[in-house]
Amino acid sequence: MFLTRLVVSQCGAPAYLRVCTQARGFANAAASPSKPLPVKAQTEKPRHFATQMKQTVEDTKPSTGRVLRYARVGAPLSVLQMDKEAVRGDADKLGPNEVRIRMLSAPVNHLDLQRVAGRLPGYRPASLPAVGGMEGAGIVEAVGSAVRTLKRDDMAMCTDLEVGTWREQLVLTEDQALALPKGITHQYGSTMLLGPCVALRLLRDFVQLREDDVIVHNAANGSVGQAVAQLAAASGVRTISVLRERSEASSRDTIERVKAYGAFVVMTDNYLPTPAARRVLSDLPAPKLALDGVGGQSGADIARLLAPNGTLVTYGNASGRGVHLPTSLLTERNINVRGFSMPAWLKNQDVATTKAMLQEMLALVSKQDLRSWIETYRFTDFKEAVRHAAYVQRNRKVVMSLDY
């Protein structure tokens, strides 16, 4: 069975419109999905440099390791400082349930930067100075006597957003770490919680979606948006994927990538409110679900597309502006407005539920049904990484490589 997929953008010139066909198979997102993507996971090299990773643990350990911390909240580029901290060696005994990990990758997310800036009132650090970073992965150096799910030399990811991952060594409990399947690199494993897992929750927890349903989402070039397009396509759900306007060449490159991820219609945020866009979308059913990671005018524009009784879910605010909705959307179309935060969701889940979700996403990556687009920066170049992560028109997930 084949579907027509539309790709639309406008870059200050006549709209760019392409029609193509895409094979589609239907499967529930919780089960093994079909394979709509012609591309393979994890085949892209990071943009800046190739990480040379040692797969075994050295016997000689330094007594200190680098750590990126802040003594006060504020602008990340002003308050973040590279420092040293004591690290444990082979002679230091671990607790029975502890795991010592040599960190290799740690992403820089918008949430990380908002926390450093003090803009997440519910997630301020317990004390200062504090170590930044919510996600990370590395190689297991040692495990306690009671640890059963991890062993020395395993690749593992951190499953707790509160521990501070921007450091060269991390000691966790077994509950706070998860072994990565063979073949999944630490770069990709480090990005699961605040990318694909957010997309899964957005698609699964608010509206019951069926084959041929339509959803609309902005921030489609971000890590969550890319995962939304892939997971929705695997279930036969059609996406209207909205990108931020940029140069014509950059827009076309991003459009092609999001299209390859399975998006049904792709257009820029400046094109979305136009009569031409409404004509393009007129043959589609009105969306049941709108996913807003931008806020401001973009959030209001995707909400206007919703069907009566549709649902708007806000999960981010990349624009820094609030969403102002016309009263008619509430009084005449009865749309529902909801919010989602992965840190808040995790606080209400047990360890087994969190790890089952991660294993589901990692299984899709292993089967090449889910792909991430990342670029890496050396740990010592953290200011460049932070600067690029804060840039709202970025396409790639920013990951710091800590083994340099």
Side-chain angles (χ1 to χ4, degrees):
M1 183 176 185
F2 286 81
L3 289 177
T4 298
R5 183 171 67 244
L6 299 177
V7 184
V8 185
S9 74
Q10 185 179 16
C11 304
Y16 164 66
L17 175 64
R18 175 173 297 178
V19 181
C20 59
T21 57
Q22 170 187 325
R24 183 188 68 196
F26 174 72
N28 187 286
S32 296
S34 59
K35 296 186 177 181
L37 302 178
V39 291
K40 292 186 177 182
Q42 306 188 72
T43 56
E44 283 191 332
K45 295 181 180 179
R47 176 184 293 175
H48 291 301
F49 61 92
T51 300
Q52 302 297 322
M53 179 191 63
K54 294 183 179 180
Q55 296 289 339
T56 58
V57 179
E58 299 174 358
D59 293 328
T60 303
K61 303 293 186 301
S63 58
T64 61
R66 294 173 297 180
V67 59
L68 192 54
R69 58 169 120 234
Y70 53 105
R72 59 183 175 87
V73 296
L77 286 173
S78 299
V79 301
L80 286 168
Q81 299 290 330
M82 190 69 75
D83 202 354
K84 295 282 189 178
E85 66 177 354
V87 297
R88 300 196 201 181
D90 290 338
D92 299 309
K93 187 176 181 180
L94 291 173
N97 295 306
E98 287 185 326
V99 179
R100 191 179 79 230
I101 297 175
R102 175 161 56 88
M103 299 296 289
L104 298 174
S105 290
V108 183
N109 299 289
H110 266 296
L111 279 179
D112 294 319
L113 302 184
Q114 289 172 358
R115 191 177 193 189
V116 172
R119 295 175 185 165
L120 294 178
Y123 303 98
R124 292 183 182 273
S127 61
L128 293 171
V131 178
M134 294 185 177
E135 295 183 288
I139 188 168
V140 176
E141 294 184 315
V143 300
S145 59
V147 173
R148 296 292 177 265
T149 60
L150 292 152
K151 64 183 184 301
R152 183 183 170 100
D153 290 340
D154 276 350
M155 282 294 165
M157 63 171 292
C158 175
T159 64
D160 187 333
L161 299 179
E162 304 290 331
V163 297
T165 56
W166 294 349
R167 63 203 328 158
E168 289 185 307
Q169 187 188 93
L170 193 57
V171 177
L172 303 171
T173 67
E174 184 176 13
D175 286 347
Q176 295 172 315
L178 178 68
L180 296 176
K182 298 295 184 183
I184 295 183
T185 67
H186 52 86
Q187 291 100 332
Y188 285 86
S190 71
T191 66
M192 289 293 105
L193 265 178
L194 295 179
C197 287
V198 172
L200 180 69
R201 301 267 60 90
L202 293 173
L203 292 170
R204 186 172 288 178
D205 292 353
F206 297 94
V207 173
Q208 185 176 2
L209 295 170
R210 297 182 175 87
E211 185 177 11
D212 287 332
D213 279 344
V214 176
I215 68 169
V216 59
H217 66 121
N218 56 22
N221 54 302
S223 61
V224 174
Q226 293 173 27
V228 164
Q230 293 173 79
L231 295 175
S235 295
V237 173
R238 294 173 286 183
T239 58
I240 303 168
S241 298
V242 181
L243 310 172
R244 287 229 167 168
E245 187 68 272
R246 57 190 71 197
S247 70
E248 183 171 358
S250 178
S251 288
R252 287 178 181 249
D253 178 68
T254 305
I255 284 167
E256 291 302 320
R257 179 166 294 278
V258 176
K259 181 184 71 176
Y261 286 159
F264 193 77
V265 178
V266 182
M267 60 178 63
T268 62
D269 52 2
N270 287 348
Y271 185 74
L272 179 64
T274 66
R278 287 195 290 273
R279 289 192 294 271
V280 169
L281 300 176
S282 61
D283 290 336
L284 286 175
K288 296 172 66 174
L289 179 65
L291 304 175
D292 174 31
V294 177
Q297 188 61 47
S298 180
D301 286 343
I302 65 171
R304 286 187 176 94
L305 298 181
L306 283 168
N309 302 309
T311 298
L312 170 69
V313 182
T314 292
Y315 67 92
N317 186 20
S319 70
R321 302 182 181 93
V323 181
H324 299 280
L325 301 177
T327 302
S328 60
L329 289 182
L330 304 176
T331 59
E332 297 176 20
R333 275 196 259 171
N334 193 36
I335 71 165
N336 305 293
V337 181
R338 303 285 300 277
F340 178 78
S341 162
M342 179 55 82
W345 186 88
L346 287 171
K347 285 188 174 181
N348 294 316
Q349 309 303 316
D350 58 27
V351 172
T353 300
T354 299
K355 290 192 174 183
M357 172 183 66
L358 285 163
Q359 287 166 339
E360 181 179 349
M361 293 297 95
L362 290 168
L364 294 180
V365 175
S366 292
K367 293 186 291 185
Q368 303 178 354
D369 289 329
L370 183 62
R371 187 182 184 189
S372 295
W373 197 19
I374 68 172
E375 62 181 311
T376 61
Y377 292 81
R378 301 172 191 270
F379 195 27
T380 51
D381 295 332
F382 72 89
K383 289 189 176 182
E384 185 181 355
V386 167
R387 191 176 292 111
H388 193 71
Y391 180 53
V392 295
Q393 293 195 10
R394 73 196 189 286
N395 294 330
R396 300 176 183 240
K397 181 96 166 186
V398 174
V399 177
M400 292 189 294
S401 184
L402 282 74
D403 55 342
Y404 274 79

